[in-house]
Amino acid sequence: VPGVADQTLTMVGGGSTTVTGSDINSDSANDMYKVVVDGNETVTVTVPTLYQVSGQALDNSGNPLTNTVVNIKRAGSNDVALAAKTAASGNYSVNLPASGAGTPYLFQIDKGGYIDTGLSVAVASTTTQNLDANKASLTISGQIKVGSTGVEGAKVFGKELGGGFTSTETDAQGNYSLPVTASNWKISAASDGY
């Protein structure tokens, strides 16, 4: 279940045992659990109550950001727990378990040409939360290489010291142009196998 980190599995058979499955794919957005069954048994997966969080992604002029990715992270983690895409209206909707006391989710807009500082969202019930991002005014450009060869399709991330976030992908020669605002930025890149 997306956004649900640990799932309790109840085994009912000759006896009743509770087992916590172990994540076998190390992908927080698409957890896969392995449970060994050695006979005729019933497996029940118990997950927490999910609450709908919905709203609209907007630019700094109040215009809807269409076909935009909204990344949702757990507090204190850089891993995306869930990603949603906005509709043509800029609207998004996700279902999440309660965030817990003092551990809100971080919602970030990921759209080329825009900077988002992220928004902490505490989830304890159905919630409406609009998100906004600023149009970038500057760029950082360069090339991602392995040895002397440019890497096509690498994801390039910019994290503003103080809170902004932006990203882009490299072209066929490994070139990128990362939209930013005037500030201090930490740049990183990722590609399959690296």
Side-chain angles (χ1 to χ4, degrees):
V1 176
V4 179
D6 293 318
Q7 299 163 349
T8 301
L9 303 177
T10 305
M11 304 296 292
V12 181
S16 184
T17 310
T18 300
V19 199
T20 301
S22 55
D23 188 359
I24 60 172
N25 69 342
S26 301
D27 179 356
S28 61
N30 298 296
D31 286 338
M32 294 176 66
Y33 289 83
K34 172 183 166 184
V35 175
V36 177
V37 177
D38 59 1
N40 292 328
E41 300 178 37
T42 300
V43 177
T44 302
V45 178
T46 306
V47 296
T49 301
L50 300 177
Y51 301 101
Q52 184 180 54
V53 179
S54 59
Q56 191 174 32
L58 306 165
D59 69 14
N60 51 328
S61 298
N63 300 311
L65 294 174
T66 64
N67 299 312
T68 299
V69 174
V70 176
N71 289 320
I72 302 157
K73 301 176 181 180
R74 289 261 186 205
S77 172
N78 287 324
D79 295 332
V80 174
L82 184 66
K85 195 168 194 178
T86 64
S89 61
N91 291 335
Y92 74 94
S93 180
V94 295
N95 293 312
L96 296 168
S99 55
T103 57
Y105 291 97
L106 178 65
F107 281 58
Q108 288 183 312
I109 293 173
D110 185 0
K111 184 169 180 80
Y114 289 86
I115 309 300
D116 180 25
T117 57
L119 183 66
S120 291
V121 178
V123 176
S125 62
T126 297
T127 305
T128 299
Q129 184 62 65
N130 290 337
L131 308 170
D132 63 288
N134 295 316
K135 183 86 172 141
S137 56
L138 303 169
T139 60
I140 296 173
S141 57
Q143 187 179 33
I144 304 298
K145 293 181 177 182
V146 172
S148 60
T149 305
V151 178
E152 179 179 6
K155 191 78 169 169
V156 181
F157 304 95
K159 186 171 183 177
E160 182 180 15
L161 305 180
F165 169 81
T166 184
S167 68
T168 192
E169 275 192 19
T170 58
D171 65 15
Q173 290 75 43
N175 298 311
Y176 69 90
S177 181
L178 189 66
V180 297
T181 55
S183 188
N184 293 314
W185 291 86
K186 178 180 178 182
I187 308 302
S188 61
S191 184
D192 289 340
Y194 295 95

